[in-house]
Amino acid sequence: MKLRISVTAFLLSILSYFSPATVSAQIVTVGQDSVPVVIASPDTAQKRFFLSTWDKPAKAALFSAVIPGAGQVYNKAYWKVPIIYATGAVLGYFLIDNNKNYQDFRQALILRNRDSSDVYVNSRIYGVYSPQNGVLTQRGTENLRYSRDFYRRNRDLTIMLSVLAWGLNVAEAYVHAHLKDFDISEDLSLQVQPGLIPAQGNPYSMAPGVTLVLYSNSK
């Protein structure tokens, strides 16, 4: 009987060690000479959500990374949200416009190289892109190629600016959340104190200097 109880206690202790939930142990004894038995019971505390362990700057950065402007709302800087979405709208317009023009000139160049004598195709590509007799025919094709490369370059640049704007949105939310914890009250004072500065090129040598200390008068 004692051996069976000891094995049961050993197995319960192993399960409680590997269990992901937090458990508490309860010792039960019956009689004077009985063997103590450890009975595991689940703790009332449940597993917390992973964001509950993050600080405010990390949460703000995550929110802005998932939804631009959400970190600014979390920081209660609501006036920044229209600026973020106005920037996104402008970049989105140029991205769509440049990509559309790039695709048009790309298709026109493909058709021109396929058959430069096609009347229907050439009637839709006029002006400096029109094929004419002699040297001007090559000039029109070169203009098509230049315009294709121009709008492709602008489209790629707009994509890079969009990624940069998204990164700035995340960084701004993160920095603002940090700055909100700084003491910027009127009780702050700047004090000049003497100090020692490591000498250049020799970390073991010190030189006299001046340090600026920012402290709060309320403390």
Side-chain angles (χ1 to χ4, degrees):
M1 181 66 180
K2 291 183 179 180
L3 179 60
R4 181 179 301 174
I5 294 177
S6 300
V7 172
T8 304
F10 175 75
L11 292 176
L12 288 175
S13 62
I14 293 297
L15 290 175
S16 63
Y17 178 80
F18 288 101
S19 176
T22 304
V23 297
S24 60
Q26 180 181 4
I27 300 177
V28 178
T29 58
V30 179
Q32 184 177 2
D33 299 330
S34 57
V35 178
V37 179
V38 180
I39 300 178
S41 60
D43 197 353
T44 54
Q46 299 293 332
K47 230 176 182 181
R48 293 187 299 175
F49 187 54
F50 74 98
L51 283 181
S52 61
T53 59
W54 290 24
D55 56 1
K56 290 183 178 180
K59 291 180 181 178
L62 176 64
F63 295 155
S64 286
V66 177
I67 303 176
Q72 284 71 19
V73 174
Y74 178 76
N75 293 333
K76 297 182 179 180
Y78 306 107
W79 62 273
K80 298 178 182 179
V81 178
I83 299 177
I84 293 174
Y85 280 93
T87 304
V90 172
L91 291 173
Y93 168 79
F94 282 109
L95 177 62
I96 295 174
D97 183 68
N98 288 322
N99 184 65
K100 178 181 178 301
N101 289 325
Y102 161 68
Q103 297 296 340
D104 290 343
F105 282 105
R106 173 177 172 273
Q107 186 65 22
L109 185 61
I110 292 175
L111 295 175
R112 173 68 58 81
N113 293 332
R114 182 182 304 171
D115 187 2
S116 59
S117 62
D118 192 324
V119 178
Y120 174 74
V121 171
N122 293 323
S123 64
R124 301 184 63 183
I125 306 174
Y126 51 88
V128 295
Y129 308 107
S130 299
Q132 299 180 11
N133 296 327
V135 180
L136 294 180
T137 302
Q138 184 64 26
R139 183 68 58 84
T141 303
E142 290 178 356
N143 290 338
L144 281 177
R145 186 176 295 107
Y146 172 82
S147 297
R148 179 203 61 181
D149 296 339
F150 173 80
Y151 285 108
R152 179 175 58 188
R153 183 169 56 252
N154 287 350
R155 182 202 61 179
D156 296 342
L157 179 61
T158 306
I159 293 175
M160 290 188 291
L161 290 176
S162 300
V163 175
L164 177 62
W166 174 83
L168 290 176
N169 150 71
V170 176
E172 194 282 330
Y174 182 82
V175 173
H176 186 193
H178 265 299
L179 294 178
K180 287 184 66 176
D181 296 333
F182 287 176
D183 187 2
I184 55 174
S185 63
E186 296 181 355
D187 295 332
L188 293 179
S189 299
L190 186 65
Q191 185 178 7
V192 181
Q193 296 179 353
L196 295 177
I197 303 174
Q200 186 176 3
N202 188 0
Y204 301 102
S205 177
M206 306 296 291
V210 177
T211 59
L212 301 179
V213 180
L214 188 67
Y215 67 95
S216 177
N217 296 326
S218 60
K219 294 182 180 181

